[in-house]
């Protein structure tokens, strides 16, 4: 999901961390995990040293006018009867508090909190992974007042062996477990590969038969100017071509969603309340411009354009001819640097006289970003028709690409497909597209603060979140959020509370985020100190922006919940580690 990288947080916290992307999960064309220390060190200031240009990396000139966790101590497991009794007491207390909240006219509606499930919650043999741990974890989450869970429904698992043959095993059991515990479900239609992005803790490739087709025709994969192929997601350049055993990629996605609807129709609108439609790598509507796999890209590099497969070039050629500049249709910018350059290392992205700010740059970036918008539009049209009148919301995740945000060109956003610059709002067109289909704009990096990020890379996550909030407000589309990296400290929680309140201008009124998804369920979440802070955080989110209850009282109530859920939390933490 949009994100800062593991080594970035490691540099800030003084610890080595393993980050994790949301599978479901929200970067703007950036991506959406790890435990960050509450003590932040001064950001390192020499990040650019490792990405200086060498002679071999000098840009070619493009066409004129611009070159185209903490382990649990001890080992005694509490008796499950104690856990059940604690759960019953907690649920009674929760019901009484929620009744009070519902009947208090002074309260805001609050922001419901969901928690992401582990990426490998369903195994390759279509069974639930660590079932006992999942069950104990769901009990604990419910007792803490969590609204529900988010789970990735992997295309590469369900339709793995043959086109049109779906095996929903494991997912059916997970859905029933959620229903039994009274938790809602955000189901992510994950049409991307798991593995190769921040925080990907396991590998789940695309369906075998899709991989076979991509091996036969490598142009089905996103391609950069050096011919490097990316197999995380089928190139949007062939969205409408029957290249997958006689079906188009969009038809495959539609058939999958239709199969999901038919299998889980009895749970739609009741247990399953949201369908998040994956539209690219890490499940985000973006190009795979900053792939971590094989060390291709490292934070805070600008990434690279992904428009060099034959299907994308064919579209570019047609657009250039229509524009009256056929010479611009043979290639993308050839002076846009490499994955790990910085904007000023390149002719295309540099501040003064950069190609991005030329007639050619405007033509290319308009085409590149419009292709992404068209991709989202096609899939949303289908999803809306499939789930119409089923009582579920549709959402789309946008990456939170916050590095080099303070520059004029916003290079990392441009390579990811978001045409956002100092002079142009790239998120309003996305919000307007989602609004046309009644979809939710889901965004990442909500937990980050500007000063925590490397300032030499001009990172500005807070300013980015504000821009997105204003765009969704203007387009009148609901905004949901999630954290890009795991954070368990109060400082991050306070930032999420502030961002989710959407107090951005005098037009905001009582508007709040429609939901927040917390990354992620793992043993660290159930560490006693982290759990205590998390329970208090959930309660504050539910209070909302119109809170008339002092924070100290919320903290006292949270301590009560922490005490009565302790057996459940211990059970979940121990079981998740095995």
């Amino acid at each position: 999901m949009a994100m800062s990288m593991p080594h970035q947080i490691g540099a800030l916290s003084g610890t080595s961390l393993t980050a994790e992307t949301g599978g479901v999960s929200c970067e703007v064309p950036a991506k959406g995990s790890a435990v960050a220390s509450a003590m932040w060190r001064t950001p390192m200031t020499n990040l650019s040293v490792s990405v200086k240009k060498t002679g071999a990396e000098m840009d070619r000139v493009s066409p004129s006018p611009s070159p185209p966790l903490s382990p649990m101590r001890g080992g005694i497991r509490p008796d499950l009867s104690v856990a059940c009794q604690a759960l019953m007491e907690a649920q009674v207390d929760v019901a009484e508090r929620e009744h009070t909240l519902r009947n208090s006219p002074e309260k805001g509606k609050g922001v419901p909190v969901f928690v992401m499930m582990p990426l490998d919650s369903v195994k390759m043999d279509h069974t639930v992974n660590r079932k006992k741990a999942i069950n104990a974890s769901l009990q604990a989450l419910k007792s803490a007042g969590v609204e529900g869970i988010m789970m990735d429904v992997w295309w590469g698992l369900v339709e793995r062996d043959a086109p049109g043959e779906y095996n929903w095993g494991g997912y059916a059991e997970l859905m029933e477990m959620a229903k039994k515990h009274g938790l809602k479900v955000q189901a992510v239609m994950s049409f991307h590969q798991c593995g190769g992005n921040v925080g990907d803790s396991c590998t789940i490739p695309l369906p075998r038969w899709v991989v076979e087709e991509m091996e036969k025709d490598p142009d089905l994969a996103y391609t950069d100017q050096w011919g490097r192929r990316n197999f995380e997601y089928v190139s949007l350049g062939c969205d409408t071509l029957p290249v997958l055993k006689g079906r188009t990629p969009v038809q495959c996605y539609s058939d999958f969603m239709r199969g999901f609807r038919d299998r889980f129709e009895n749970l739609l609108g009741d247990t399953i309340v949201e369908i998040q439609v994956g539209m690219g790598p890490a499940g985000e509507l973006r190009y795979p411009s900053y792939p971590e796999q094989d060390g291709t890209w490292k934070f805070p590099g600008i990434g690279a354009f992904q428009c060099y497969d034959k299907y994308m070039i064919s579209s570019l050629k047609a657009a250039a001819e229509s524009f009256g500049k056929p010479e611009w249709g043979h290639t993308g910018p050839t002076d846009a640097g490499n994955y790990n350059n910085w904007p000023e290392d390149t002719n295309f992205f540099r501040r003064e006289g950069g190609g991005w700010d030329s007639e050619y740059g405007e033509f290319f970036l308009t085409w590149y970003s419009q292709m992404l918008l068209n991709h989202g539009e096609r899939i949303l049209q289908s999803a809306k028709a499939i789930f119409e009148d089923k009582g579920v919301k549709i959402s789309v995740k946008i990456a939170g690409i916050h590095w080099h945000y303070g520059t004029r060109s916003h290079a990392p956003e441009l390579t990811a497909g978001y045409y956002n610059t100092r002079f142009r709002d790239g998120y309003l067109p996305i919000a307007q597209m989602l609004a046309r289909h009644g979809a939710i704009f889901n965004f990442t990096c909500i937990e980050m603060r500007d000063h925590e990020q490397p300032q030499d890379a001009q990172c500005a996550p807070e300013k980015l979140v504000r821009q997105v909030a204003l765009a969704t407000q203007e387009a009148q589309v609901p905004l949901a959020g999630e954290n890009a990296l795991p954070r368990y400290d109060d400082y991050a929680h306070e930032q999420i509370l502030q961002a989710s309140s959407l107090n951005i201008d005098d037009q905001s009124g009582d508007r709040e985020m429609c939901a927040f998804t917390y990354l992620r369920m793992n043993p660290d979440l159930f560490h006693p100190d982290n759990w205590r802070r998390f329970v208090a955080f959930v309660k504050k989110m539910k209070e909302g922006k119109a809170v008339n209850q002092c924070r100290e009282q919320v903290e006292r109530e949270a301590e009560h919940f922490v005490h009565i859920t302790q057996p459940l939390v211990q059970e979940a933490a121990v079981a998740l580690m095995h």
Side-chain angles (χ1 to χ4, degrees):
M1 341 219 135
M3 45 200 88
S4 179
M5 300 301 113
H7 61 273
Q8 174 188 356
I9 291 293
L12 295 172
S13 65
T15 57
S16 176
L17 300 173
T18 302
E20 152 176 352
T21 72
V24 138
S25 113
C26 95
E27 269 176 15
V28 171
K31 358 178 166 214
S33 304
V35 181
S37 168
M39 299 298 293
W40 300 97
R41 295 186 180 178
T42 304
M44 293 171 28
T45 57
N46 62 343
L47 287 178
S48 59
V49 173
S50 62
V51 293
K52 288 186 180 298
K53 273 195 305 187
T54 64
E57 293 174 330
M58 293 296 289
D59 296 335
R60 304 198 309 275
V61 179
S62 332
S64 178
S66 161
L69 119 202
S70 297
M72 293 296 296
R73 307 268 178 210
I76 303 178
R77 293 194 177 205
D79 185 85
L80 281 178
S81 62
V82 176
C84 292
Q85 180 63 33
L87 176 64
M88 290 173 63
E89 293 174 4
Q91 289 175 332
V92 169
D93 204 324
V94 168
E96 290 175 351
R97 276 288 299 143
E98 289 182 345
H99 176 77
T100 302
L101 288 174
R102 282 195 301 269
N103 291 280
S104 173
E106 296 82 18
K107 299 288 184 187
K109 63 180 181 181
V111 181
V113 175
F114 291 75
V115 174
M116 292 185 200
M117 297 287 285
L119 294 169
D120 59 352
S121 293
V122 174
K123 296 188 289 186
M124 298 302 285
D125 64 358
H126 306 289
T127 61
V128 175
N129 196 12
R130 300 183 301 271
K131 186 187 303 185
K132 187 173 182 180
I134 294 295
N135 191 61
S137 300
L138 296 183
Q139 286 183 336
L141 293 178
K142 178 62 178 179
S143 68
V146 166
E147 182 79 7
I149 56 174
M150 174 180 274
M151 67 174 72
D152 289 278
V153 183
W154 296 103
W155 186 28
L157 278 181
V158 175
E159 198 180 358
R160 180 179 61 196
D161 297 323
E165 294 184 8
Y166 307 112
N167 188 331
W168 304 102
Y171 291 109
E173 193 171 359
L174 268 181
M175 298 291 182
E176 289 299 329
M177 289 171 70
K179 179 181 179 180
K180 180 183 73 173
H181 294 300
L183 291 166
K184 307 298 185 185
V185 173
Q186 297 170 318
V188 185
M189 305 290 100
S190 294
F191 299 119
H192 61 287
Q193 165 190 295
C194 180
N197 279 301
V198 179
D200 283 354
S201 54
C202 62
T203 299
I204 302 173
L206 296 180
R208 289 172 184 165
W209 53 276
V210 173
V211 174
E212 289 172 4
E213 294 302 303
M214 295 176 84
E215 288 173 347
K216 285 190 280 187
D217 180 3
D219 283 290
L220 297 180
Y222 282 116
T223 309
D224 64 21
Q225 73 179 81
W226 305 279
R228 185 186 288 105
R229 309 285 189 177
N230 186 299
F231 294 89
E232 293 179 67
Y233 187 86
V234 179
S235 169
L236 62 80
C238 57
D239 267 357
T240 60
L241 302 174
V243 294
L244 297 180
K245 306 283 189 185
R247 289 187 296 168
T248 71
V250 172
Q251 285 175 331
C252 290
Y253 307 148
S254 301
D255 291 344
F256 183 91
M257 290 189 287
R258 195 173 294 108
F260 180 88
R261 178 201 65 189
D262 294 345
R263 174 60 182 82
F264 297 106
E265 189 153 16
N266 63 312
L267 298 177
L268 294 175
D270 180 16
T271 296
I272 303 171
V273 297
E274 181 180 324
I275 303 295
Q276 184 172 108
V277 187
M279 295 193 173
E284 298 164 339
L285 178 63
R286 65 174 176 86
Y287 293 99
S289 57
Y290 48 97
E292 283 203 302
Q293 201 162 28
D294 302 324
T296 301
W297 170 88
K298 296 185 188 315
F299 177 87
I302 59 176
F305 291 113
Q306 305 291 310
C307 59
Y308 292 86
D309 63 77
K310 67 183 181 184
Y311 302 106
M312 291 291 285
I313 289 294
S314 175
S315 172
L316 177 61
K317 190 173 299 184
E321 290 173 358
S322 176
F323 191 73
K325 295 281 189 177
E327 65 273 21
W328 288 352
H330 302 295
T331 179
T334 56
D335 58 351
N338 209 325
Y339 286 96
N340 295 311
N341 282 136
W342 286 33
E344 290 305 311
D345 294 335
T346 75
N347 287 327
F348 190 78
F349 294 119
R350 68 188 181 192
R351 172 192 175 109
E352 299 290 349
W356 65 275
D357 197 25
S358 67
E359 184 187 18
Y360 166 76
E362 183 178 1
F363 158 75
F364 173 78
L365 294 169
T366 298
W367 167 80
Y368 189 68
S369 61
Q370 190 60 49
M371 289 289 283
L372 190 66
L373 286 169
N374 293 345
H375 175 66
E377 191 105 42
R378 280 189 286 267
I379 300 176
L380 267 182
Q381 284 176 340
S382 178
K384 183 179 178 182
I386 290 168
F387 293 105
E388 194 168 15
D389 301 323
K390 297 301 178 184
V392 297
K393 298 174 181 177
I394 305 293
S395 70
V396 175
K397 186 188 287 191
I398 310 300
I401 301 173
H402 58 82
W403 49 103
H404 301 297
Y405 182 85
T407 63
R408 289 186 180 181
S409 65
H410 293 235
E413 292 164 89
L414 298 185
T415 57
Y418 307 149
Y419 191 178
N420 190 56
T421 68
R422 178 74 56 87
F423 314 119
R424 187 181 190 280
D425 186 344
Y427 299 103
L428 183 57
I430 297 172
Q432 291 169 332
M433 184 268 288
L434 297 179
R436 285 195 292 274
H437 301 282
I440 295 169
F441 191 121
N442 184 283
F443 196 64
T444 57
C445 76
I446 303 300
E447 85 284 11
M448 296 181 180
R449 298 183 194 239
D450 292 352
H451 73 82
E452 294 173 344
Q453 311 302 320
Q455 291 308 293
D456 54 344
Q458 299 199 46
C459 302
E462 290 179 89
K463 294 182 181 67
L464 173 58
V465 169
R466 177 182 170 80
Q467 180 185 352
V468 166
L470 287 168
T472 56
Q473 180 173 288
E474 181 175 341
Q476 296 186 308
V477 64
L479 177 62
E482 63 184 54
N483 48 315
L485 293 170
R487 290 282 295 271
Y488 307 97
D489 55 290
D490 288 331
Y491 196 60
H493 291 164
E494 287 298 325
Q495 180 64 19
I496 295 169
L497 283 160
Q498 178 180 323
S500 64
S501 69
L502 297 182
N503 290 322
I504 48 178
D505 61 20
D506 55 10
Q507 305 297 315
S508 301
D510 61 355
R511 182 174 182 252
E512 298 174 282
M513 283 189 180
C514 60
F516 180 82
T517 305
Y518 193 89
L519 181 130
R520 156 181 327 268
M521 179 199 293
N522 59 26
D524 288 322
L525 175 61
F526 297 113
H527 181 281
D529 289 339
N530 293 341
W531 179 251
R532 175 180 54 78
R533 288 188 287 262
F534 175 74
V535 171
F537 164 73
V538 172
K539 293 187 73 63
K540 291 172 186 174
M541 291 287 280
K542 291 176 73 174
E543 293 286 338
K545 66 197 296 182
V547 59
N548 67 353
Q549 187 178 32
C550 70
R551 290 298 172 90
E552 290 77 9
Q553 184 176 344
V554 173
E555 294 284 357
R556 286 196 299 271
E557 292 183 359
E559 287 295 340
H560 172 62
F561 277 78
V562 168
H563 174 70
I564 62 178
T565 60
Q566 186 175 8
L568 293 170
V569 172
Q570 288 179 336
E571 176 72 21
V574 173
L576 278 170
M577 292 187 337
H578 291 83

